[in-house]
Amino acid sequence: MGVLVTGCSEEPLPEAPMRSDDCLRDIKLDQLGEQLKRCDQVVAAFPTNPAPLNDRYLLRSLRGPDQERAACSDIRRATALAKLAKPGSLDPQLRTDLNLRLALCQDDAKPAAERATKP
């Protein structure tokens, strides 16, 4: 008499749908390049949401000064999108972040001599 042995194959779990806050999920500083690629996908998936652009600004800022222009471009885009949002629909912390980061970008665009005269 033979014994029939069968195995159960388990289906892989379905991948969780992309969320607008996925840019900063599970950040590993030694993998910022990969995190930035993932964030690029999030930004593309949520083109009218300023939050992923704000998050990508942070990742680009962490990558270093060579990413400063791109980071500021993200903040300018995010700020423009935030202005189009319905009143009260954006998180107040996001508005604060955008305003502070936009000011940093505008300050960085000023000549060094002008920045030095600020109190």
Side-chain angles (χ1 to χ4, degrees):
M1 176 189 272
V3 176
L4 180 62
V5 177
T6 60
C8 295
S9 71
E10 195 172 296
E11 291 291 320
L13 293 174
E15 196 170 307
M18 188 176 296
R19 294 174 24 168
S20 64
D21 63 349
D22 279 348
C23 286
L24 301 181
R25 191 175 308 282
D26 301 324
I27 289 184
K28 294 179 180 83
L29 294 177
D30 62 336
Q31 297 177 0
L32 283 176
E34 290 303 313
Q35 305 256 171
L36 193 53
K37 287 179 187 175
R38 181 178 69 192
C39 192
D40 290 342
Q41 295 172 343
V42 175
V43 169
F46 299 92
T48 61
N49 187 338
L53 288 162
N54 182 55
D55 294 345
R56 190 166 68 179
Y57 166 92
L58 180 60
L59 291 174
R60 285 181 163 163
S61 296
L62 290 171
R63 294 254 355 234
D66 63 318
Q67 293 283 312
E68 188 175 306
R69 265 198 174 133
C72 286
S73 177
D74 282 344
I75 282 302
R76 284 188 285 278
R77 255 180 70 200
T79 301
L81 289 172
K83 287 179 182 176
L84 298 174
K86 293 177 187 174
S89 66
L90 285 184
D91 176 28
Q93 184 61 51
L94 175 59
R95 283 204 186 273
T96 300
D97 288 350
L98 293 174
N99 290 333
L100 291 172
R101 291 172 176 170
L102 184 62
L104 288 172
C105 287
Q106 290 170 339
D107 194 45
D108 286 344
K110 293 179 183 174
E114 188 178 332
R115 285 192 306 252
T117 61
K118 270 191 153 183

